[in-house]
Amino acid sequence: MELLGIVFLFVALFILLFLKIPVAYSVGIATTLTMLFHLPFLPSVTTIMQRMTMGVDSFALLAIPFFILAGDIMNQGGIASRLVDFSKSLVGSFPGGLLYVNILSAMFFGAVSGSAVASASAIGGILNHRMTEEGYKKSFSASVNITSSTVGLIIPPSNVLIVFALASGGAASIEALFLAGYIPGMLLGVGLMLVAGYFAIKNKFPSGEPVRLKRLFETFSRSFLSLLLIFIVVGGIVMGIFTATEGAVIAVVYALLLSFFYRQIHLKDLPRIILSSAKTTAIVMFLICTSMALSWLFAFNNVPELISEHLLGGADNPIVILLIINIILLVVGIFMDITPAILIFTPIFLPIVTSFGVHPVHFGIVMVLNLCIGLCTPPVGTLLFVGSGVAHIEITKVIKPLLPFLVVMIMVLFVVTYVPELAMYLPKLFGVVK
């Protein structure tokens, strides 16, 4: 009955997704229908509702709506433009300099907003017109913007790392995950820069103005307060001065004061920004509700054990296990958004990898990095749609120039997978994990 119910769950889930029913509704409906294998209708519905409610009964989850609001404020508060100017003064002089500017700006903006979508829309909105004027193909510049935006989900603060900490049941702390994301995130950014540099030289893309210390100092001064947010929020969380939730509130207040200081946001703009953030928060939290109910159902039906026995039955080598899981997650990422994928598959795979000695923090970074690739691919790649929309170009024209960047992302994924020290060095250095 357990195996039959789980097969039914996955079949129902993919049918609902194929019918283009929103992911949260698909997960909730499939979970409730599967619960009917065990209990009558009323107890099934009651149990699922209880699990949905308990799934979001977490103080740590309050960080997500506040970080979403902080990202929206930063997106419209002039912070992104200052980070772009600073990036331009650093790397804009190289051939294809605006490509490097896009990637570096995404790394900076991701490090203060924690949102890949905000990064893609803000940085792309600023640079796309300029890149078109200087002779860059829209399809290529859009592919750079799409892939570089994922760095914001690896470099903290990151909402999806908070979601993984929740889904891990406390096995991986938010502080450890935040520290673990820095080196893999920078490695991903460097990898994307190498690809951009190769095509810049090959296609003879234009160079920008030479680096001038005066200009560098001016742009750094203008962006200093924005960059300071990284040290205030992440530093405070890591050093234990405040929790991730309190850090998110500080990020909102700081971003709001900074935006008022830059005179990019006025009091009349706040209702619109808060409403937009509330809509995004409602979507994310409902996804978490239904996904946590599904995760409980997995545990109730011993799904991790079943998968360990049937899917990974013949493998007893952690290298092979991680390879199989990475391939599965790469396929999952193509068809499912990152938040529900983390919530659904973490309870399945985490017990398996930890039984082979893989640290939960290391696996968290691997999982997020893996699923970031799916954000850039059709048919449900959020960043693919956002990046193409910002660049005003058809999605089909972006796919081909996107491929080299996706290859590098996969290469970085496997390097981080099989060299755990890249993720674990900083958490161990700061004593967050042993």
Side-chain angles (χ1 to χ4, degrees), residues 123-238:
I123 305 302
I126 294 169
L127 287 176
N128 272 324
H129 181 67
R130 174 74 180 274
M131 294 173 82
T132 302
E133 286 183 339
E134 294 194 10
Y136 295 85
K137 288 185 178 180
K138 278 188 176 183
S139 58
F140 190 78
S141 58
S143 66
V144 172
N145 185 41
I146 290 165
T147 51
S148 65
S149 300
T150 61
V151 181
L153 298 178
I154 308 296
I155 296 178
S158 165
N159 289 333
V160 293
L161 290 179
I162 296 173
V163 171
F164 180 85
L166 172 72
S168 72
S173 68
I174 296 174
E175 295 85 354
L177 288 165
F178 275 12
L179 282 171
Y182 275 111
I183 294 177
M186 289 187 286
L187 183 63
L188 178 58
V190 170
L192 296 175
M193 285 184 180
L194 290 175
V195 178
Y198 169 77
F199 283 101
I201 295 172
K202 180 181 178 181
N203 298 315
K204 298 181 180 179
F205 288 147
S207 303
E209 297 178 0
V211 176
R212 293 187 175 89
L213 288 178
K214 182 180 179 181
R215 174 64 177 164
L216 184 62
F217 178 76
E218 288 176 353
T219 56
F220 176 75
S221 300
R222 292 182 70 242
S223 61
F224 174 75
L225 293 177
S226 302
L227 294 170
L228 189 61
L229 181 61
I230 304 172
F231 300 98
I232 293 175
V233 175
V234 179
I237 294 171
V238 169

Side-chain angles (χ1 to χ4, degrees), residues 113-345:
S113 73
S115 171
V117 172
S119 177
S121 57
I123 305 302
I126 294 169
L127 287 176
N128 272 324
H129 181 67
R130 174 74 180 274
M131 294 173 82
T132 302
E133 286 183 339
E134 294 194 10
Y136 295 85
K137 288 185 178 180
K138 278 188 176 183
S139 58
F140 190 78
S141 58
S143 66
V144 172
N145 185 41
I146 290 165
T147 51
S148 65
S149 300
T150 61
V151 181
L153 298 178
I154 308 296
I155 296 178
S158 165
N159 289 333
V160 293
L161 290 179
I162 296 173
V163 171
F164 180 85
L166 172 72
S168 72
S173 68
I174 296 174
E175 295 85 354
L177 288 165
F178 275 12
L179 282 171
Y182 275 111
I183 294 177
M186 289 187 286
L187 183 63
L188 178 58
V190 170
L192 296 175
M193 285 184 180
L194 290 175
V195 178
Y198 169 77
F199 283 101
I201 295 172
K202 180 181 178 181
N203 298 315
K204 298 181 180 179
F205 288 147
S207 303
E209 297 178 0
V211 176
R212 293 187 175 89
L213 288 178
K214 182 180 179 181
R215 174 64 177 164
L216 184 62
F217 178 76
E218 288 176 353
T219 56
F220 176 75
S221 300
R222 292 182 70 242
S223 61
F224 174 75
L225 293 177
S226 302
L227 294 170
L228 189 61
L229 181 61
I230 304 172
F231 300 98
I232 293 175
V233 175
V234 179
I237 294 171
V238 169
M239 289 187 291
I241 299 174
F242 42 74
T243 66
T245 301
E246 293 163 345
V249 175
I250 291 170
V252 170
V253 174
Y254 187 93
L256 195 58
L257 292 175
L258 203 56
S259 298
F260 283 144
F261 177 72
Y262 291 155
R263 298 182 180 178
Q264 298 293 314
I265 288 180
H266 305 282
L267 285 175
K268 64 179 181 180
D269 300 318
L270 289 183
R272 173 177 53 81
I273 295 172
I274 293 173
L275 180 60
S276 174
S277 300
K279 289 178 179 178
T280 304
T281 299
I283 295 169
V284 172
M285 298 305 283
F286 189 48
L287 270 172
I288 292 174
C289 280
T290 54
S291 298
M292 292 302 288
L294 180 57
S295 298
W296 173 83
L297 187 62
F298 282 151
F300 182 75
N301 284 277
N302 300 313
V303 172
E305 291 80 3
L306 288 171
I307 290 181
S308 180
E309 291 174 7
H310 293 84
L311 185 61
L312 308 174
D316 58 359
N317 188 322
I319 295 176
V320 177
I321 296 296
L322 287 170
L323 176 63
I324 294 172
I325 290 176
N326 265 327
I327 292 173
I328 294 172
L329 289 176
L330 284 170
V331 175
V332 166
I334 294 173
F335 300 101
M336 187 175 290
D337 198 30
I338 189 168
T339 300
I342 289 173
L343 289 165
I344 292 170
F345 289 96

